[in-house]
Amino acid sequence: MTILGHYPQGYTFPRHRLRPTLKDETKLPLVLVACGSYSPITYLHLRMFEMAKDEIERAGKYELLGGYFSPVNDKYKKKGLALATHRVRMCELATDSTSNWLMVDPWEALNPSYQRTAVVLDHFNNVLNDSEGGGVLLSDGIIKPIHIMLLAGGDLVESFGIPGCWAVKDMEHILASYGCIIVERTGSDVRHFLLNHDTLFRHRKNVIVVKQLIHNDISSTKIRLFVKRCMSIKYLLPNPVIDYIVQHGLYLE
């Protein structure tokens, strides 16, 4: 699949928290990418990366080098979507204040047109492995390509089953070329959905399901409603993000 060659003016791919080497060179280097609205980002979005990290370390196949939030483009036209510049900045404030390995890539958000998730993952593959990245250099001089996986909540994956929501060729490309780590959300039965969905079942070896041991159903929709109703959102998302929402008067209407 070919990605768009356009890069927004002034765009630089963020690498400031991306670990450049492997601690264990027998493992496969891995980067996680989470695509979503993040209007606003919440502690659940951040927590999903930590749950995925625990599962990756437990399995022992991959070594995690970094993780990225990729906020969706404004052309997505989803209800409650703040402008991309706001959503990117809120994600940056959240990661800067809470993590030493998570970053925000604004490429998808700042593009002049909507970018499908499959294309976004191709963009990451390009900057990490192809024209710009070059993979990870091992001690023997061999370059090991960085594997990229989509990190998603159970609700996003269940949208695979909604007719017309995803192109079949995109699902095939995502699952065959990259794979997916799915974090179950409250009320979702991802394993049952995997069993019933032909494409997901066919690529089940490339799908990792992570169970939520502490249930958390914080959602951006609820946060926006709380703000609109002048209710407290403290302890639901990082304080710098709360301050940003107040400063810019977001979600009041």
Side-chain angles (χ1 to χ4, degrees):
M1 184 172 291
T2 304
I3 74 158
L4 294 178
H6 177 86
Y7 288 91
Q9 186 175 5
Y11 169 78
T12 302
F13 182 71
R15 298 176 182 270
H16 54 292
R17 296 193 182 106
L18 183 65
R19 191 148 48 82
T21 59
L22 288 169
K23 295 176 182 178
D24 183 348
E25 294 190 349
T26 66
K27 294 185 178 181
L28 300 175
L30 176 68
V31 162
L32 297 179
V33 177
C35 299
S37 300
Y38 307 117
S39 189
I41 188 171
T42 73
Y43 274 128
L44 177 56
H45 296 131
L46 296 160
R47 180 66 189 152
M48 283 173 60
F49 274 96
E50 292 295 322
M51 287 186 278
K53 182 178 180 227
D54 282 345
E55 178 61 26
I56 289 161
E57 291 177 348
R58 183 200 64 78
K61 178 180 179 180
Y62 296 102
E63 185 172 313
L64 192 56
L65 302 182
Y68 289 89
F69 287 99
S70 181
V72 75
N73 190 278
D74 285 341
K75 298 289 176 62
Y76 187 56
K77 299 292 186 184
K78 184 178 180 180
K79 185 179 179 181
L81 200 65
L83 289 175
T85 50
H86 288 314
R87 291 181 288 107
V88 168
R89 186 59 188 145
M90 286 189 285
C91 287
E92 289 172 343
L93 289 168
T95 54
D96 289 350
S97 62
T98 63
S99 180
N100 62 3
W101 65 283
L102 296 178
M103 292 157 282
V104 184
D105 181 23
W107 181 84
E108 178 184 1
L110 302 182
N111 233 274
S113 59
Y114 170 70
Q115 303 299 313
R116 305 187 319 278
T117 299
V119 175
V120 175
L121 296 176
D122 284 342
H123 153 72
F124 275 93
N125 186 52
N126 183 58
V127 294
L128 290 172
N129 290 314
D130 296 337
S131 62
E132 299 179 30
V136 174
L137 181 64
L138 304 184
S139 57
D140 59 4
I142 293 176
I143 293 177
K144 208 176 233 188
I146 297 172
H147 188 67
I148 296 153
M149 292 190 77
L150 176 67
L151 174 62
D155 53 345
L156 185 144
V157 174
E158 287 176 357
S159 71
F160 282 1
I162 300 174
C165 190
W166 291 79
V168 174
K169 67 176 184 178
D170 279 2
M171 284 191 284
E172 288 281 355
H173 182 60
I174 290 170
L175 294 169
S177 301
Y178 301 111
C180 190
I181 297 182
I182 306 170
V183 177
E184 286 188 326
R185 298 193 71 167
T186 305
S188 66
D189 188 347
V190 174
R191 288 178 174 82
H192 178 75
F193 185 76
L194 280 172
L195 183 64
N196 283 276
H197 193 284
D198 292 342
T199 305
L200 283 167
F201 186 76
R202 187 163 56 253
H203 295 287
R204 61 192 179 279
K205 290 184 179 179
N206 292 337
V207 177
I208 300 171
V209 179
V210 180
K211 191 172 184 63
Q212 262 198 95
L213 298 179
I214 299 177
H215 290 291
N216 182 340
D217 66 348
I218 299 172
S219 72
S220 299
T221 301
K222 292 177 182 177
I223 297 296
R224 294 194 301 270
L225 181 60
F226 276 29
V227 173
K228 184 178 180 180
R229 302 301 187 209
C230 298
M231 298 169 65
S232 172
I233 54 174
K234 194 170 180 63
Y235 307 122
L236 298 175
L237 54 164
N239 285 340
V241 179
I242 296 175
D243 294 341
Y244 187 92
I245 291 171
V246 173
Q247 178 186 352
H248 293 273
L250 302 180
Y251 310 121
L252 293 175
E253 297 180 357

